[in-house]
Amino acid sequence: MTPDLSTTAPETTILEARGLTRHFAGPARLFGKTPSVRAVDGVSFGIRRGETFAIVGESGCGKSTLARLLIRLLAPTDGRVIYNGQDISGLSDAEMRSLRGELQFIFQDPFSSLNPRMTVGAIVEEPMQVHGVESSAARKERVAQLLGRVGLRAEHANRYPHEFSGGQRQRIGIARALASGPKVIIGDEPVSALDVSIQAQVVNLLEDLKEEFGLTLIIIAHDLAVIRHMSDRVGVMYLGEMIELGQTDALYDQPLHPYTQALMTAIPVPSPKARRMSEGLSGDVPSPSAPPTGCRFHTRCPHARSRCSEQKPALEQTGDERWVACHFWQEIKRPDAGLDAETVRGDATARRFELYRSWSEGKNPATPQR
Ligand SMILES: Nc1ncnc2c1ncn2[C@@H]1O[C@H](COP(=O)(O)OP(=O)(O)OP(=O)(O)O)[C@@H](O)[C@H]1O
Ligand code: SF4
Ligand SMILES: [Mg+2]
């Protein structure tokens, strides 16, 4: 029986994972049983209506799989997804069709997600055809509006994806995601393939659209400074499990889990405080086919003791808005572990965002920089 750890009040929750699990078939073995890859393993948390929720963790820890499960691009092996009070985990593809427009995805690589043989206009129009905007004239008008809203021009509708830069292609992907009237948009590394200057423009655009369209955003990004800049709350994943969850500022100011503390050292800031944190992450992530017993982090944790390999720590509520899965979080709490708001907000990334915001506000949004 999975404990109810929805982490938000039901009336404010738009999306909830309950014991969400997805195992994949692992690579075939010549002898013996093929072990399954436990990409997401018993994750429970809730996402609030209108918030930006970030999912962080090292490569392979299950972020993309969790994101796909949350909007039913993937079916769970076990557990449930509750969207607006409705259990959507067992819905068939046909039953999901009516909800598909409300739950949208923005991909890391906009080029491979845009059909190269379709014009931009057809790409943005397609979701409206699927989701019932009947008049062709109304659809065309809406395409022009959406292209304008993401900083492209109406005449771009007649061109093909290869005629655009990476940043412009991501804007096309965003316009397409908006076309079906979404309530939740998941961005899986939506800016990491873009040039640094373009990243800031796209992040700013997403933030503006979130306000304007009343969206709930779920963001996956490797850049922890981008996460701090954008998100209200953060969930930290390790080997398929959620190991810490909290409000962004509080979690960055004082990460409680040793893994989160180690992740914070990866933020490249020239700060004496950052240099004081000597325990970075050592060793490789263990295989998700054979995760360590007890606490999955015990093979890399500088604080591990015998209980850690024997008993799995539960995700425990440690404060108003804070959850952590570590037996010894109180003992190992380090007042110097966090990166204070000034350190991270004052770093080059945040300054870059401010700079580009003020710079782009003075310009015609219809002519974004390439
Ligand atoms: N379709 C699949 N079949 C088999 N294994 C898969 C499949 N999709 C993901 N996995 C495995 O599940 C685990 C989690 O993968 P996932 O892509 O969710 O991680 P991630 O945190 O998004 O990583 P990254 O940061 O590199 O994108 C990995 O071990 C991955 O190899
Ligand atoms: S439970 Fe033990 S191994 Fe796991 S994070 Fe806490 S101290 Fe480290
Ligand atoms: Mg991924």
Side-chain angles (χ1 to χ4, degrees), residues 24-25 37 39 57-66 189 222 288:
F24 293 107
V37 178
E58 286 166 289
S59 183
C61 69
K63 304 179 296 293
S64 297
T65 306
L66 176 61
E189 302 278 359
H222 274 110

Side-chain angles (χ1 to χ4, degrees), residues 139-180:
R139 290 199 302 264
K140 299 271 180 300
E141 194 184 326
R142 184 83 181 124
V143 167
Q145 277 171 1
L146 285 173
L147 290 180
R149 188 56 202 88
V150 300
L152 296 168
R153 289 194 294 271
E155 61 265 32
H156 283 150
N158 301 319
R159 299 200 198 156
Y160 290 86
H162 73 268
E163 298 177 59
F164 294 87
S165 68
Q168 288 174 320
R169 284 198 293 262
Q170 196 54 290
R171 289 170 191 269
I172 297 165
I174 293 169
R176 181 180 160 92
L178 289 173
S180 59

Side-chain angles (χ1 to χ4, degrees), residues 242-244 256-259 261 295 297 301 303-305 307-308 311-316 318 323-333:
M242 187 74 83
I243 52 95
E244 184 161 5
L256 297 177
H257 196 286
Y259 177 64
Q261 291 174 358
C295 173
F297 190 53
C301 179
H303 308 283
R305 22 201 130 155
R307 183 178 168 200
C308 301
Q311 192 184 0
K312 181 190 278 297
L315 190 63
E316 173 192 346
T318 63
W323 304 74
V324 67
C326 169
H327 296 306
F328 303 109
W329 68 269
Q330 274 169 307
E331 288 171 46
I332 60 184
K333 208 154 101 177

Side-chain angles (χ1 to χ4, degrees), residues 71-345:
I71 59 168
R72 270 302 313 276
L73 285 177
L74 261 181
T77 312
D78 200 1
R80 293 194 283 161
V81 180
I82 313 292
Y83 170 61
N84 267 336
Q86 180 187 4
D87 185 349
I88 61 169
S89 15
L91 297 187
S92 65
D93 288 347
E95 288 167 325
M96 268 308 290
R97 205 161 296 139
S98 61
L99 290 177
R100 181 54 58 217
E102 296 183 21
L103 302 165
Q104 286 290 305
F105 209 87
I106 302 171
F107 296 89
Q108 174 177 356
D109 176 4
F111 201 49
S112 60
S113 62
L114 301 176
N115 186 335
R117 285 181 292 278
M118 286 168 79
T119 62
V120 166
I123 287 171
V124 177
E125 186 181 347
E126 190 179 46
M128 295 182 222
Q129 289 169 308
V130 176
H131 298 290
V133 180
E134 297 202 342
S135 134
S136 166
R139 290 199 302 264
K140 299 271 180 300
E141 194 184 326
R142 184 83 181 124
V143 167
Q145 277 171 1
L146 285 173
L147 290 180
R149 188 56 202 88
V150 300
L152 296 168
R153 289 194 294 271
E155 61 265 32
H156 283 150
N158 301 319
R159 299 200 198 156
Y160 290 86
H162 73 268
E163 298 177 59
F164 294 87
S165 68
Q168 288 174 320
R169 284 198 293 262
Q170 196 54 290
R171 289 170 191 269
I172 297 165
I174 293 169
R176 181 180 160 92
L178 289 173
S180 59
K183 303 273 190 286
V184 177
I185 293 187
I186 296 190
D188 189 355
E189 302 278 359
V191 297
S192 48
L194 305 178
D195 287 352
V196 165
S197 61
I198 308 296
Q199 284 185 5
Q201 293 178 15
V202 173
V203 165
N204 289 339
L205 175 66
L206 282 172
E207 289 184 320
D208 293 346
L209 294 172
K210 179 192 161 212
E211 291 307 315
E212 188 175 331
F213 291 84
L215 302 170
T216 302
L217 286 184
I218 302 170
I219 295 292
I220 298 169
H222 274 110
D223 186 335
L224 290 175
V226 169
I227 294 285
R228 176 148 208 176
H229 177 83
M230 284 189 82
S231 66
D232 301 304
R233 293 193 307 145
V234 179
V236 184
M237 288 190 74
Y238 186 74
L239 265 186
E241 296 180 335
M242 187 74 83
I243 52 95
E244 184 161 5
L245 189 151
Q247 288 184 327
T248 305
D249 286 347
L251 189 133
Y252 274 66
D253 289 348
Q254 190 169 68
L256 297 177
H257 196 286
Y259 177 64
T260 318
Q261 291 174 358
L263 272 188
M264 291 298 164
T265 65
I267 299 182
V269 285
S271 136
K273 184 179 263 191
R275 278 198 293 273
R276 273 210 303 279
M277 294 185 295
S278 54
E279 300 120 309
L281 275 170
S282 60
D284 292 332
V285 185
S287 165
S289 304
T293 55
C295 173
R296 290 186 179 180
F297 190 53
H298 84 255
T299 54
R300 301 168 81 195
C301 179
H303 308 283
R305 22 201 130 155
S306 58
R307 183 178 168 200
C308 301
S309 58
E310 290 157 9
Q311 192 184 0
K312 181 190 278 297
L315 190 63
E316 173 192 346
Q317 186 158 18
T318 63
D320 224 11
E321 296 271 355
R322 198 61 173 280
W323 304 74
V324 67
C326 169
H327 296 306
F328 303 109
W329 68 269
Q330 274 169 307
E331 288 171 46
I332 60 184
K333 208 154 101 177
R334 289 169 32 177
D336 68 333
L339 291 175
D340 57 64
E342 201 185 334
T343 310
V344 177
R345 287 228 180 90

